[in-house]
Amino acid sequence: MVRMAPTYAQTFADATSDPAAFWLDAAASIDWDTEPVIGLDESRAPIYAWYPDGVLNVCHNALDRHVTAGRGASTALIYDSAVLGIQETYSYAELLEKVARFAGVLLERGIGLGDRVLIYLPMIPQAHIAMLACARIGAVHSVVFGGFAAKELAARIDDATPSAIITASGGIEPSRRVEYLPAVNEAIEMAGHQVPTVIVTHRDGFNHQRSEYGGGDTTWYDWDDLALHAAPAQAVPVPSTHPLYILYTSGTTGSPKGVVRDSGGYAVAMDYSMRKVYDVGPGSTMLTASDVGWVVGHSYIVYGPLIAGATTVLYEGKPVGTPDASAFWRLIEEHKVDTFFTAPTALRAIRKADPDAELLAGRDISSLKNFFVAGERLDPDTYTWAGEKLGVPVVDNWWQTETGWPIASNCMGLQILELKAGSPTVPVPGYDVRILDGFGDEVAANEEGNIAIKLPLPPGTLATLWGNDQRFIETYLDQFPGYYTTGDSGFMDEDGYLFVMGRTDDVINVSGHRLSTGAMEQVLGSHQAVAECAVIGVADALKGQRPSGYVVLKTGARITEEELGRELVALVRAHIGPVADFREVRVVQALPKTRSGKILRKTMRQIADGKAYVVPSTIEDPQVIDELIPFLAPPK
Ligand code: COA
Ligand code: AMP
C-alpha cells in the first residue's frame, strides 16, 4: 500500500489536537544526548517549556552530526562580500574546526555554561563562528545589529550582563566604513555592568585598533592571537530548556525586550521549518539576505540551514548599490542558490532601480526554486512583479523575533497551496491562530481584529523575556488569557488564509527593521527645546514605513524648525543608531490628545497616510486635529 504524505490540513489538525505528541515525534529528527520522553511541561502555565527532560547541544546538531554522518566535505558556508569583492567557502569539517577552536578560546577566557556573550559583528564568517562557539559550550549569545549606536549597546550590556563582547574593527556600508571599536568602548564606559573581556577580529581599512583601548577592568584581545593556541572544545550537552540566545527587540517603551530562545525547542523548530516551510535539506543552498543581528539572520542565515545540513550563503552587501540592482541575481547564479529569502523592501529597492528587471537578462537563475520574503507586509504590486520576473513562487511568511520561525506561510515542503496576493497564506502547523476582538472573542471570517495564538506556542518560540517572567506575561499573555498576543492586527478569510494588516502598538517597521517610536520619542523629549513630541510611522513607498516626528516647543524656546530638525536627527542617530532612519521633524502648536492625555498617534498616522480616520469622542480639543492636518502630509 502506498502511504500518502500528510496534507497541510491533516498536519495542522494533528499539531493542534495533541501538540505534545506531535512535537515529540518531530524531535526524533534531532540528535539528543538524552532523548526527551515528555513533550511539554505545562506546570508553570502560561509559561510553557518544551522537552523538559531532553539534553542536547545545538552546535553539535548544526555541525558535528553532519561531519560524523560523512558529510564533512560538503559546503556549510559561503561568504560572499560584495563590499570587499571576496568569496570564501567553508566545508562542514572546516567550520567545525574553527568553531571548536573559538569555543576553546572562550573557555580559556573563563567563559562557560550560562555566561552571556554579546556579539557585535558585521556580516562576516566570524559571526557564525562566534554564535556556534557559544552554543557549543552552553554560553548564551546576544547578537546586536551593527546599525545600533553605543547607547543601545550599553542598554543590552546592562540587561544581559555579558562576560565578554565579541566584535570586529567595523562594518562596511556602501557609503562609509562604520568603526565598531569606538562604539563598543563608549558602550562599555556608559554601562553600569563591567565587561571583563572584549575579543576583536581585525579587518583591514579601519582607523581604530583594539590596542587603543584597554585600561580599567576590561581587557581587549585579538581573536587571531587567542585562536592560535587555543585547544578545540567539545560540545557540552545542555538541558533542552537551557537558553541558547537572547535577542533584543523593540517594544512600545524605550527599553528593549530580551527574547529568550531555548535550545531543544529551537533545534526542533529549525529542523521542522527548514523541511516543511522552506523545503530545504542536504544539497540545498539557501541565501538569506538579512543580517545576523535580526531574528531572520539567527534562524535562516545561521542555525536553520546548518541544522538542516544545507549550504548557507552569508552575503555582505545590499540589494542595490553593491554594485547595482543585479546583486541578488549574481548571487543566485554564482552560488546556485535554490532558496532565497529577503525582505519585501529589498525587492522594492531593486524594482525602483531596475523596473523591468533588465539586469536579469544574461543571468542564469535556473537553480532558483523558491523566493521567500518576510519582515513586513508584502504588497500585492511587489508580489506580482517579483513572481513575473523570477518565474518561481514568491512566498510571503509572517513571523516575529518572539516566535523565531514562521507563524504563517505556504508550507512548501508539506503541501503547496494556492497563493493569494497580500496574504502569507495559512498558519503553520503548531500555530493555532485566532482573530479576537477587544474582548477576546473570536470574530467572523474577513473581520479585522487582534491576531492572537492559542497557547501553548510551538517549540522554538520565546521561552520568556530575559530575567523578567513578569514582563513576558504582562506584554504577551495577559491581554487575552490563554492566548499569546502578537501585536499585529489582521483577518482570516473564509478559506482560512491570514491577512496581516499592521501593528496595534507603537512599533514601526522601516525597511523590514522593527523599531520603537517610543524609544525615538524618548530621545526627542530629551532635547531642551522640546516640550512634548510624537513619532509615528507613515507609509513609505520604498521602506514600508518611515518615522516622522512632531514636536511642540517649550515656551520661549528659540530655535528654528530647521535647526531643531538637524539636532534631533543627529540625536536619534547618536542614541539609537543610523538604522532608525529618522529624518523628518515638524514643529507644531499642539498634539491631539484624549482627555486622559493619551496622544492620538493612530489618528495622526491615518491622516498622514491619507486614510479614512475617525476622531475619537474622547478627544480633548478637536481643533488641534484641524490645525495639524497640513503638517501631517510630510514631503515625499
Ligand atoms: N551597520 C551600520 N549602519 C547601518 C547598517 C549596519 N549593519 N545597516 C544600515 N545602516 C545604516 C545605513 O548606512 C544608513 O545610514 P545613512 O543614514 O548614513 O545612510 C541607515 O542605516 C539606513 O539604512 P537602510 O535601512 O539600509 O536604508 P538605505 O536607504 O541605505 O537602503 C534598502 C535601503 C532597502 C536597500 C535597505 O534598507 C535594505 O537592504 N533593506 C533590506 C532589509 C532587511 O534585510 N531587513 C531584515 C529583516 S528580514
Ligand atoms: P521582527 O520581530 O523584527 O521580525 O518584526 C515582526 C513584525 O514585523 C511583525 O509583528 C509584523 O508586524 C511585521 N511582519 C513581519 N513579517 C511580516 C509579513 N510577512 N507580513 C506582514 N507583517 C510582517
Side-chain angles (χ1 to χ4, degrees), residues 122 145-148 171 173-176 178 180 289-291 294 296-297 317-320 341-343 345-346 349 374-376 510-513 542-543 573 577-581 583:
F145 177 61
F148 282 120
E173 285 295 289
S175 57
R176 68 201 152 93
V178 183
Y180 279 16
S290 174
D291 191 283
W294 305 119
V296 173
K318 301 276 173 176
V320 291
F341 188 176
T342 191
T345 209
E376 54 173 326
V510 183
S511 298
H513 303 146
L542 175 64
K543 300 189 172 187
R573 211 176 157 87
V579 66
D581 217 7
R583 299 175 204 272

mmCIF file of all heavy atoms in Angstrom, residues 122 145-148 171 173-176 178 180 289-291 294 296-297 317-320 341-343 345-346 349 374-376 510-513 542-543 573 577-581 583, ligand 1:
data_model
loop_
_atom_site.group_PDB
_atom_site.id
_atom_site.type_symbol
_atom_site.label_atom_id
_atom_site.label_comp_id
_atom_site.label_asym_id
_atom_site.label_seq_id
_atom_site.Cartn_x
_atom_site.Cartn_y
_atom_site.Cartn_z
ATOM 1 N N PRO A 122 29.736 42.476 12.045
ATOM 2 C CA PRO A 122 29.074 42.633 10.742
ATOM 3 C C PRO A 122 28.860 41.268 10.094
ATOM 4 O O PRO A 122 29.069 40.233 10.732
ATOM 5 C CB PRO A 122 30.089 43.474 9.959
ATOM 6 C CG PRO A 122 31.408 43.131 10.559
ATOM 7 C CD PRO A 122 31.158 42.784 12.003
ATOM 8 N N PHE A 145 22.668 44.153 16.339
ATOM 9 C CA PHE A 145 22.798 44.640 14.966
ATOM 10 C C PHE A 145 23.779 45.815 14.901
ATOM 11 O O PHE A 145 23.737 46.715 15.746
ATOM 12 C CB PHE A 145 21.404 45.057 14.479
ATOM 13 C CG PHE A 145 21.374 45.641 13.102
ATOM 14 C CD1 PHE A 145 21.775 44.897 12.012
ATOM 15 C CD2 PHE A 145 20.924 46.937 12.888
ATOM 16 C CE1 PHE A 145 21.733 45.433 10.725
ATOM 17 C CE2 PHE A 145 20.874 47.485 11.608
ATOM 18 C CZ PHE A 145 21.284 46.722 10.533
ATOM 19 N N GLY A 146 24.634 45.809 13.887
ATOM 20 C CA GLY A 146 25.676 46.826 13.749
ATOM 21 C C GLY A 146 25.169 48.244 13.524
ATOM 22 O O GLY A 146 25.925 49.201 13.695
ATOM 23 N N GLY A 147 23.907 48.389 13.138
ATOM 24 C CA GLY A 147 23.372 49.731 12.896
ATOM 25 C C GLY A 147 22.913 50.428 14.171
ATOM 26 O O GLY A 147 22.420 51.548 14.120
ATOM 27 N N PHE A 148 23.044 49.749 15.326
ATOM 28 C CA PHE A 148 22.670 50.385 16.597
ATOM 29 C C PHE A 148 23.871 51.131 17.179
ATOM 30 O O PHE A 148 25.013 50.683 17.060
ATOM 31 C CB PHE A 148 22.180 49.339 17.605
ATOM 32 C CG PHE A 148 20.767 48.881 17.358
ATOM 33 C CD1 PHE A 148 20.479 47.551 17.107
ATOM 34 C CD2 PHE A 148 19.716 49.792 17.388
ATOM 35 C CE1 PHE A 148 19.176 47.127 16.871
ATOM 36 C CE2 PHE A 148 18.407 49.385 17.157
ATOM 37 C CZ PHE A 148 18.139 48.054 16.897
ATOM 38 N N GLY A 171 32.143 47.565 10.296
ATOM 39 C CA GLY A 171 31.316 47.065 9.205
ATOM 40 C C GLY A 171 31.467 47.984 8.002
ATOM 41 O O GLY A 171 31.911 49.133 8.140
ATOM 42 N N GLU A 173 29.504 49.789 5.038
ATOM 43 C CA GLU A 173 28.296 50.233 4.353
ATOM 44 C C GLU A 173 28.745 50.763 2.993
ATOM 45 O O GLU A 173 29.894 51.214 2.854
ATOM 46 C CB GLU A 173 27.625 51.347 5.156
ATOM 47 C CG GLU A 173 26.904 50.859 6.399
ATOM 48 C CD GLU A 173 25.729 49.966 6.053
ATOM 49 O OE1 GLU A 173 24.730 50.456 5.552
ATOM 50 O OE2 GLU A 173 25.829 48.744 6.294
ATOM 51 N N PRO A 174 27.876 50.740 1.986
ATOM 52 C CA PRO A 174 28.315 51.195 0.662
ATOM 53 C C PRO A 174 28.956 52.583 0.694
ATOM 54 O O PRO A 174 29.918 52.847 -0.013
ATOM 55 C CB PRO A 174 27.024 51.202 -0.150
ATOM 56 C CG PRO A 174 26.130 50.245 0.538
ATOM 57 C CD PRO A 174 26.498 50.259 1.986
ATOM 58 N N SER A 175 28.411 53.468 1.563
ATOM 59 C CA SER A 175 28.895 54.847 1.530
ATOM 60 C C SER A 175 29.993 55.139 2.551
ATOM 61 O O SER A 175 30.583 56.208 2.537
ATOM 62 C CB SER A 175 27.721 55.781 1.807
ATOM 63 O OG SER A 175 27.150 55.427 3.055
ATOM 64 N N ARG A 176 30.227 54.217 3.477
ATOM 65 C CA ARG A 176 31.207 54.535 4.524
ATOM 66 C C ARG A 176 31.586 53.294 5.311
ATOM 67 O O ARG A 176 30.902 52.276 5.251
ATOM 68 C CB ARG A 176 30.631 55.583 5.484
ATOM 69 C CG ARG A 176 29.490 55.069 6.302
ATOM 70 C CD ARG A 176 28.617 56.153 6.843
ATOM 71 N NE ARG A 176 27.285 55.605 7.003
ATOM 72 C CZ ARG A 176 26.821 55.071 8.129
ATOM 73 N NH1 ARG A 176 27.548 55.089 9.206
ATOM 74 N NH2 ARG A 176 25.625 54.550 8.192
ATOM 75 N N VAL A 178 31.976 51.754 8.986
ATOM 76 C CA VAL A 178 31.401 52.004 10.307
ATOM 77 C C VAL A 178 32.368 51.446 11.349
ATOM 78 O O VAL A 178 32.555 50.234 11.446
ATOM 79 C CB VAL A 178 30.029 51.307 10.443
ATOM 80 C CG1 VAL A 178 29.388 51.621 11.783
ATOM 81 C CG2 VAL A 178 29.108 51.700 9.297
ATOM 82 N N TYR A 180 33.490 50.112 14.618
ATOM 83 C CA TYR A 180 32.781 49.499 15.755
ATOM 84 C C TYR A 180 33.472 49.783 17.096
ATOM 85 O O TYR A 180 32.823 49.878 18.129
ATOM 86 C CB TYR A 180 32.720 47.973 15.593
ATOM 87 C CG TYR A 180 31.623 47.462 14.679
ATOM 88 C CD1 TYR A 180 30.951 48.286 13.789
ATOM 89 C CD2 TYR A 180 31.256 46.117 14.720
ATOM 90 C CE1 TYR A 180 29.956 47.794 12.961
ATOM 91 C CE2 TYR A 180 30.260 45.610 13.902
ATOM 92 C CZ TYR A 180 29.615 46.452 13.022
ATOM 93 O OH TYR A 180 28.624 45.944 12.204
ATOM 94 N N ALA A 289 19.153 37.126 2.659
ATOM 95 C CA ALA A 289 19.748 38.463 2.640
ATOM 96 C C ALA A 289 19.099 39.286 3.737
ATOM 97 O O ALA A 289 18.084 39.936 3.527
ATOM 98 C CB ALA A 289 19.532 39.106 1.272
ATOM 99 N N SER A 290 19.653 39.185 4.917
ATOM 100 C CA SER A 290 19.171 39.949 6.061
ATOM 101 C C SER A 290 20.422 40.303 6.847
ATOM 102 O O SER A 290 21.432 40.682 6.241
ATOM 103 C CB SER A 290 18.186 39.086 6.867
ATOM 104 O OG SER A 290 17.804 39.732 8.052
ATOM 105 N N ASP A 291 20.400 40.170 8.143
ATOM 106 C CA ASP A 291 21.593 40.449 8.942
ATOM 107 C C ASP A 291 21.563 39.514 10.141
ATOM 108 O O ASP A 291 20.489 39.231 10.683
ATOM 109 C CB ASP A 291 21.589 41.906 9.415
ATOM 110 C CG ASP A 291 22.926 42.300 10.024
ATOM 111 O OD1 ASP A 291 23.201 41.919 11.184
ATOM 112 O OD2 ASP A 291 23.720 42.969 9.327
ATOM 113 N N TRP A 294 19.425 40.259 13.255
ATOM 114 C CA TRP A 294 17.965 40.137 13.322
ATOM 115 C C TRP A 294 17.582 38.677 13.466
ATOM 116 O O TRP A 294 18.385 37.785 13.174
ATOM 117 C CB TRP A 294 17.305 40.709 12.051
ATOM 118 C CG TRP A 294 17.667 42.119 11.732
ATOM 119 C CD1 TRP A 294 18.300 42.547 10.604
ATOM 120 C CD2 TRP A 294 17.442 43.297 12.528
ATOM 121 N NE1 TRP A 294 18.464 43.911 10.649
ATOM 122 C CE2 TRP A 294 17.953 44.395 11.813
ATOM 123 C CE3 TRP A 294 16.847 43.515 13.770
ATOM 124 C CZ2 TRP A 294 17.887 45.704 12.302
ATOM 125 C CZ3 TRP A 294 16.791 44.822 14.267
ATOM 126 C CH2 TRP A 294 17.307 45.890 13.526
ATOM 127 N N VAL A 296 15.675 36.903 11.612
ATOM 128 C CA VAL A 296 15.734 36.195 10.326
ATOM 129 C C VAL A 296 17.155 35.668 10.104
ATOM 130 O O VAL A 296 17.361 34.557 9.614
ATOM 131 C CB VAL A 296 15.298 37.135 9.172
ATOM 132 C CG1 VAL A 296 15.517 36.486 7.820
ATOM 133 C CG2 VAL A 296 13.835 37.522 9.327
ATOM 134 N N GLY A 297 18.131 36.470 10.508
ATOM 135 C CA GLY A 297 19.529 36.052 10.380
ATOM 136 C C GLY A 297 19.864 34.902 11.314
ATOM 137 O O GLY A 297 20.525 33.935 10.922
ATOM 138 N N GLY A 317 26.509 42.777 1.791
ATOM 139 C CA GLY A 317 26.236 43.711 0.702
ATOM 140 C C GLY A 317 24.784 44.119 0.764
ATOM 141 O O GLY A 317 24.059 43.751 1.687
ATOM 142 N N LYS A 318 24.357 44.876 -0.218
ATOM 143 C CA LYS A 318 22.982 45.390 -0.240
ATOM 144 C C LYS A 318 22.288 44.883 -1.499
ATOM 145 O O LYS A 318 22.944 44.429 -2.435
ATOM 146 C CB LYS A 318 23.014 46.929 -0.264
ATOM 147 C CG LYS A 318 23.734 47.554 0.908
ATOM 148 C CD LYS A 318 22.838 47.687 2.115
ATOM 149 C CE LYS A 318 23.635 48.167 3.319
ATOM 150 N NZ LYS A 318 22.834 48.399 4.503
ATOM 151 N N PRO A 319 20.973 45.014 -1.542
ATOM 152 C CA PRO A 319 20.267 44.597 -2.761
ATOM 153 C C PRO A 319 20.558 45.507 -3.947
ATOM 154 O O PRO A 319 20.496 45.089 -5.095
ATOM 155 C CB PRO A 319 18.785 44.674 -2.367
ATOM 156 C CG PRO A 319 18.727 45.472 -1.110
ATOM 157 C CD PRO A 319 20.065 45.420 -0.467
ATOM 158 N N VAL A 320 20.850 46.777 -3.657
ATOM 159 C CA VAL A 320 21.199 47.728 -4.723
ATOM 160 C C VAL A 320 22.454 48.485 -4.284
ATOM 161 O O VAL A 320 22.704 48.622 -3.101
ATOM 162 C CB VAL A 320 20.058 48.752 -4.965
ATOM 163 C CG1 VAL A 320 18.839 48.089 -5.574
ATOM 164 C CG2 VAL A 320 19.664 49.469 -3.688
ATOM 165 N N PHE A 341 15.834 34.273 0.390
ATOM 166 C CA PHE A 341 14.951 34.843 1.417
ATOM 167 C C PHE A 341 15.400 36.278 1.671
ATOM 168 O O PHE A 341 16.580 36.529 1.902
ATOM 169 C CB PHE A 341 15.094 33.993 2.688
ATOM 170 C CG PHE A 341 14.123 34.309 3.807
ATOM 171 C CD1 PHE A 341 14.137 33.521 4.949
ATOM 172 C CD2 PHE A 341 13.207 35.344 3.736
ATOM 173 C CE1 PHE A 341 13.261 33.762 6.002
ATOM 174 C CE2 PHE A 341 12.327 35.594 4.782
ATOM 175 C CZ PHE A 341 12.366 34.804 5.915
ATOM 176 N N THR A 342 14.484 37.219 1.602
ATOM 177 C CA THR A 342 14.835 38.605 1.917
ATOM 178 C C THR A 342 13.584 39.360 2.387
ATOM 179 O O THR A 342 12.533 38.752 2.602
ATOM 180 C CB THR A 342 15.525 39.301 0.720
ATOM 181 O OG1 THR A 342 16.079 40.545 1.155
ATOM 182 C CG2 THR A 342 14.546 39.566 -0.419
ATOM 183 N N ALA A 343 13.722 40.667 2.538
ATOM 184 C CA ALA A 343 12.574 41.489 2.956
ATOM 185 C C ALA A 343 11.957 42.144 1.719
ATOM 186 O O ALA A 343 12.677 42.478 0.769
ATOM 187 C CB ALA A 343 13.045 42.553 3.939
ATOM 188 N N THR A 345 11.144 45.056 1.154
ATOM 189 C CA THR A 345 11.754 46.345 0.875
ATOM 190 C C THR A 345 12.946 46.203 -0.078
ATOM 191 O O THR A 345 13.196 47.073 -0.914
ATOM 192 C CB THR A 345 12.150 47.011 2.218
ATOM 193 O OG1 THR A 345 12.119 48.379 2.093
ATOM 194 C CG2 THR A 345 13.470 46.596 2.727
ATOM 195 N N ALA A 346 13.652 45.081 0.034
ATOM 196 C CA ALA A 346 14.795 44.842 -0.854
ATOM 197 C C ALA A 346 14.299 44.687 -2.290
ATOM 198 O O ALA A 346 14.894 45.224 -3.236
ATOM 199 C CB ALA A 346 15.560 43.609 -0.399
ATOM 200 N N ALA A 349 13.384 48.044 -3.611
ATOM 201 C CA ALA A 349 14.580 48.819 -3.965
ATOM 202 C C ALA A 349 15.115 48.374 -5.332
ATOM 203 O O ALA A 349 15.511 49.189 -6.165
ATOM 204 C CB ALA A 349 15.648 48.654 -2.891
ATOM 205 N N ALA A 374 9.902 38.092 4.107
ATOM 206 C CA ALA A 374 9.287 38.313 5.425
ATOM 207 C C ALA A 374 9.843 39.593 6.011
ATOM 208 O O ALA A 374 10.749 40.205 5.447
ATOM 209 C CB ALA A 374 9.586 37.140 6.352
ATOM 210 N N GLY A 375 9.305 39.956 7.143
ATOM 211 C CA GLY A 375 9.810 41.129 7.867
ATOM 212 C C GLY A 375 8.841 42.286 7.833
ATOM 213 O O GLY A 375 8.867 43.166 8.681
ATOM 214 N N GLU A 376 7.984 42.306 6.845
ATOM 215 C CA GLU A 376 6.976 43.367 6.694
ATOM 216 C C GLU A 376 5.970 42.839 5.677
ATOM 217 O O GLU A 376 6.200 41.810 5.037
ATOM 218 C CB GLU A 376 7.630 44.653 6.166
ATOM 219 C CG GLU A 376 8.395 44.357 4.904
ATOM 220 C CD GLU A 376 8.943 45.568 4.192
ATOM 221 O OE1 GLU A 376 8.299 46.614 4.228
ATOM 222 O OE2 GLU A 376 9.991 45.429 3.559
ATOM 223 N N VAL A 510 10.584 49.762 9.480
ATOM 224 C CA VAL A 510 11.262 50.580 8.480
ATOM 225 C C VAL A 510 12.251 49.681 7.737
ATOM 226 O O VAL A 510 13.175 49.150 8.356
ATOM 227 C CB VAL A 510 12.021 51.753 9.152
ATOM 228 C CG1 VAL A 510 12.677 52.648 8.108
ATOM 229 C CG2 VAL A 510 11.088 52.560 10.043
ATOM 230 N N SER A 511 12.053 49.496 6.461
ATOM 231 C CA SER A 511 12.900 48.596 5.655
ATOM 232 C C SER A 511 12.996 47.222 6.289
ATOM 233 O O SER A 511 14.063 46.606 6.294
ATOM 234 C CB SER A 511 14.326 49.156 5.524
ATOM 235 O OG SER A 511 14.324 50.378 4.881
ATOM 236 N N GLY A 512 11.900 46.727 6.862
ATOM 237 C CA GLY A 512 11.940 45.404 7.489
ATOM 238 C C GLY A 512 12.633 45.425 8.843
ATOM 239 O O GLY A 512 12.810 44.384 9.451
ATOM 240 N N HIS A 513 13.032 46.598 9.316
ATOM 241 C CA HIS A 513 13.653 46.702 10.642
ATOM 242 C C HIS A 513 12.591 47.147 11.637
ATOM 243 O O HIS A 513 11.911 48.147 11.420
ATOM 244 C CB HIS A 513 14.796 47.728 10.649
ATOM 245 C CG HIS A 513 15.867 47.438 9.648
ATOM 246 N ND1 HIS A 513 16.555 48.431 8.990
ATOM 247 C CD2 HIS A 513 16.365 46.278 9.199
ATOM 248 C CE1 HIS A 513 17.433 47.885 8.170
ATOM 249 N NE2 HIS A 513 17.339 46.576 8.273
ATOM 250 N N LEU A 542 9.046 52.978 -0.581
ATOM 251 C CA LEU A 542 10.214 52.102 -0.640
ATOM 252 C C LEU A 542 10.391 51.301 0.647
ATOM 253 O O LEU A 542 10.573 50.089 0.632
ATOM 254 C CB LEU A 542 11.480 52.934 -0.913
ATOM 255 C CG LEU A 542 12.794 52.160 -0.886
ATOM 256 C CD1 LEU A 542 12.853 51.121 -1.996
ATOM 257 C CD2 LEU A 542 13.993 53.100 -0.981
ATOM 258 N N LYS A 543 10.325 52.014 1.774
ATOM 259 C CA LYS A 543 10.704 51.378 3.042
ATOM 260 C C LYS A 543 9.537 50.812 3.836
ATOM 261 O O LYS A 543 9.719 50.358 4.958
ATOM 262 C CB LYS A 543 11.483 52.385 3.892
ATOM 263 C CG LYS A 543 12.750 52.848 3.173
ATOM 264 C CD LYS A 543 13.666 53.656 4.013
ATOM 265 C CE LYS A 543 14.962 53.860 3.220
ATOM 266 N NZ LYS A 543 16.005 54.489 3.992
ATOM 267 N N ARG A 573 20.280 59.525 15.834
ATOM 268 C CA ARG A 573 21.368 58.760 15.235
ATOM 269 C C ARG A 573 22.386 58.348 16.301
ATOM 270 O O ARG A 573 22.889 57.231 16.318
ATOM 271 C CB ARG A 573 22.040 59.642 14.183
ATOM 272 C CG ARG A 573 22.603 58.891 13.034
ATOM 273 C CD ARG A 573 23.163 59.874 12.020
ATOM 274 N NE ARG A 573 24.161 59.210 11.218
ATOM 275 C CZ ARG A 573 23.870 58.516 10.123
ATOM 276 N NH1 ARG A 573 22.643 58.438 9.694
ATOM 277 N NH2 ARG A 573 24.826 57.902 9.466
ATOM 278 N N GLY A 577 20.811 54.989 16.610
ATOM 279 C CA GLY A 577 21.679 54.498 15.540
ATOM 280 C C GLY A 577 21.132 54.890 14.184
ATOM 281 O O GLY A 577 19.961 55.276 14.072
ATOM 282 N N PRO A 578 21.981 54.778 13.153
ATOM 283 C CA PRO A 578 21.531 55.146 11.812
ATOM 284 C C PRO A 578 20.361 54.295 11.340
ATOM 285 O O PRO A 578 19.549 54.727 10.529
ATOM 286 C CB PRO A 578 22.760 54.914 10.924
ATOM 287 C CG PRO A 578 23.719 54.125 11.733
ATOM 288 C CD PRO A 578 23.392 54.366 13.172
ATOM 289 N N VAL A 579 20.258 53.079 11.865
ATOM 290 C CA VAL A 579 19.206 52.173 11.416
ATOM 291 C C VAL A 579 17.804 52.743 11.671
ATOM 292 O O VAL A 579 16.847 52.394 10.984
ATOM 293 C CB VAL A 579 19.377 50.786 12.089
ATOM 294 C CG1 VAL A 579 19.141 50.868 13.586
ATOM 295 C CG2 VAL A 579 18.460 49.757 11.465
ATOM 296 N N ALA A 580 17.668 53.667 12.622
ATOM 297 C CA ALA A 580 16.355 54.259 12.903
ATOM 298 C C ALA A 580 15.852 55.046 11.696
ATOM 299 O O ALA A 580 14.656 55.239 11.526
ATOM 300 C CB ALA A 580 16.424 55.156 14.124
ATOM 301 N N ASP A 581 16.805 55.504 10.863
ATOM 302 C CA ASP A 581 16.442 56.184 9.622
ATOM 303 C C ASP A 581 15.496 57.360 9.895
ATOM 304 O O ASP A 581 14.556 57.609 9.141
ATOM 305 C CB ASP A 581 15.775 55.171 8.677
ATOM 306 C CG ASP A 581 16.170 55.432 7.225
ATOM 307 O OD1 ASP A 581 17.031 56.292 7.005
ATOM 308 O OD2 ASP A 581 15.602 54.781 6.336
ATOM 309 N N ARG A 583 14.529 61.041 9.850
ATOM 310 C CA ARG A 583 14.976 62.192 9.068
ATOM 311 C C ARG A 583 13.986 63.343 9.043
ATOM 312 O O ARG A 583 14.268 64.386 8.482
ATOM 313 C CB ARG A 583 15.248 61.771 7.614
ATOM 314 C CG ARG A 583 16.350 60.718 7.479
ATOM 315 C CD ARG A 583 16.498 60.261 6.035
ATOM 316 N NE ARG A 583 17.091 58.927 5.959
ATOM 317 C CZ ARG A 583 18.393 58.693 5.913
ATOM 318 N NH1 ARG A 583 19.250 59.675 5.939
ATOM 319 N NH2 ARG A 583 18.848 57.454 5.837
HETATM 320 N N1 COA B 1 25.686 48.950 10.280
HETATM 321 C C1 COA B 1 25.752 50.297 10.321
HETATM 322 N N2 COA B 1 24.870 51.106 9.697
HETATM 323 C C2 COA B 1 23.884 50.502 9.017
HETATM 324 C C3 COA B 1 23.742 49.110 8.939
HETATM 325 C C4 COA B 1 24.700 48.327 9.611
HETATM 326 N N3 COA B 1 24.645 46.997 9.601
HETATM 327 N N4 COA B 1 22.659 48.828 8.186
HETATM 328 C C5 COA B 1 22.128 50.009 7.803
HETATM 329 N N5 COA B 1 22.884 51.014 8.312
HETATM 330 C C6 COA B 1 22.694 52.444 8.097
HETATM 331 C C7 COA B 1 22.839 52.803 6.641
HETATM 332 O O1 COA B 1 24.180 53.010 6.268
HETATM 333 C C8 COA B 1 22.043 54.101 6.575
HETATM 334 O O2 COA B 1 22.869 55.103 7.112
HETATM 335 P P1 COA B 1 22.916 56.581 6.482
HETATM 336 O O3 COA B 1 21.741 57.264 7.107
HETATM 337 O O4 COA B 1 24.225 57.106 6.942
HETATM 338 O O5 COA B 1 22.807 56.449 5.006
HETATM 339 C C9 COA B 1 20.900 53.875 7.588
HETATM 340 O O6 COA B 1 21.371 52.823 8.466
HETATM 341 C C10 COA B 1 19.607 53.399 6.957
HETATM 342 O O7 COA B 1 19.949 52.261 6.189
HETATM 343 P P2 COA B 1 18.968 51.325 5.364
HETATM 344 O O8 COA B 1 17.802 50.966 6.199
HETATM 345 O O9 COA B 1 19.766 50.191 4.839
HETATM 346 O O10 COA B 1 18.426 52.264 4.224
HETATM 347 P P3 COA B 1 19.082 52.583 2.824
HETATM 348 O O11 COA B 1 18.274 53.698 2.255
HETATM 349 O O12 COA B 1 20.556 52.779 2.962
HETATM 350 O O13 COA B 1 18.817 51.250 1.971
HETATM 351 C C11 COA B 1 17.487 49.306 1.385
HETATM 352 C C12 COA B 1 17.504 50.821 1.624
HETATM 353 C C13 COA B 1 16.068 48.891 1.028
HETATM 354 C C14 COA B 1 18.436 48.949 0.264
HETATM 355 C C15 COA B 1 17.916 48.592 2.672
HETATM 356 O O14 COA B 1 17.131 49.037 3.731
HETATM 357 C C16 COA B 1 17.868 47.092 2.652
HETATM 358 O O15 COA B 1 18.751 46.411 2.198
HETATM 359 N N6 COA B 1 16.845 46.508 3.259
HETATM 360 C C17 COA B 1 16.704 45.095 3.467
HETATM 361 C C18 COA B 1 16.313 44.988 4.895
HETATM 362 C C19 COA B 1 16.489 43.668 5.533
HETATM 363 O O16 COA B 1 17.171 42.802 5.083
HETATM 364 N N7 COA B 1 15.828 43.571 6.676
HETATM 365 C C20 COA B 1 15.952 42.457 7.540
HETATM 366 C C21 COA B 1 14.629 41.970 8.023
HETATM 367 S S1 COA B 1 14.217 40.445 7.250
#
